[in-house]
Amino acid sequence: MKRRAAGCMLAAAALATGGCGSLLAESASAGAGIASGALANAITDNPGVATGIGIGVQAAVRSGVQYYQRKVHGEAQAQIAQVAGPLKVGQVKPWKTTLSLPLESEEAGRVVVSRVISTGELDCKEIVVSVEQSGTGPLPASEFYVASICRNGSRWAWAQAEPATERWGSLQ
């Protein structure tokens, strides 16, 4: 019985390492529910305790997936900000994400500085970011997002969450 519970836990862990967005969160959560059910049956015959174990494991897995999604989105935003930071108004440069966690696919597009918001002690720029989707036509289909970046020491950083909410959800 304990081997079966361990096998189910391993399957849930495998589900939590690949995929994308809500599919990943839901499949990891479902896998955690199945695995925790097997684990709870191996530990106790009390249905209340088994339910508590299942809910706790499911919540922990969902929270873990959301944490790593925030990390991945932060990495992508930092990489775009580093490309856009040195650009002058009107300059366009391609960007591509290289993610340390394989939770989502890597993406690419273009970024342009649309205006300088402030200079001096607080250097900030408004940027327009395209995310290019491979399509069947001669040009790639693009989605566009507007964001602000600011210099933080020698690095440029994403300055706000709201323009990215549609793109990355509320996991900022």
Side-chain angles (χ1 to χ4, degrees):
M1 192 60 101
K2 289 183 181 181
R3 282 188 183 167
R4 196 166 92 191
C8 288
M9 290 295 282
L10 199 55
L15 281 173
T17 60
C20 67
S22 62
L23 176 63
L24 172 64
E26 290 307 315
S27 59
S29 182
I34 292 167
S36 63
L39 178 64
N41 283 335
I43 293 173
T44 183
D45 291 332
N46 184 328
V49 172
T51 300
I53 291 171
I55 291 171
V57 170
Q58 194 172 27
V61 168
R62 184 181 306 265
S63 179
V65 168
Q66 289 175 342
Y67 170 79
Y68 284 107
Q69 284 177 322
R70 284 191 303 273
K71 298 287 268 181
V72 165
H73 300 160
E75 281 181 36
Q77 290 171 342
Q79 291 171 15
I80 293 168
Q82 290 308 307
V83 170
L87 299 178
K88 294 183 182 348
V89 173
Q91 277 188 292
V92 179
K93 191 167 184 182
W95 64 269
K96 182 179 192 271
T97 57
T98 304
L99 304 175
S100 62
L101 297 169
L103 290 177
E104 297 181 2
S105 59
E106 295 178 347
E107 297 176 309
R110 294 165 289 147
V111 62
V112 61
V113 173
S114 58
R115 69 183 173 119
V116 173
I117 298 171
S118 63
T119 59
E121 288 186 32
L122 186 60
D123 289 335
C124 293
K125 298 177 181 182
E126 181 180 76
I127 61 173
V128 178
V129 180
S130 75
V131 179
E132 297 178 359
Q133 312 290 324
S134 57
T136 57
L139 297 175
S142 298
E143 295 179 13
F144 296 93
Y145 304 92
V146 177
S148 299
I149 59 171
C150 293
R151 187 188 315 263
N152 184 5
S154 62
R155 297 181 46 87
W156 286 88
W158 207 262
Q160 62 189 36
E162 285 308 312
T165 302
E166 179 182 330
R167 167 138 177 72
W168 284 298
S170 59
L171 298 174
Q172 295 295 312

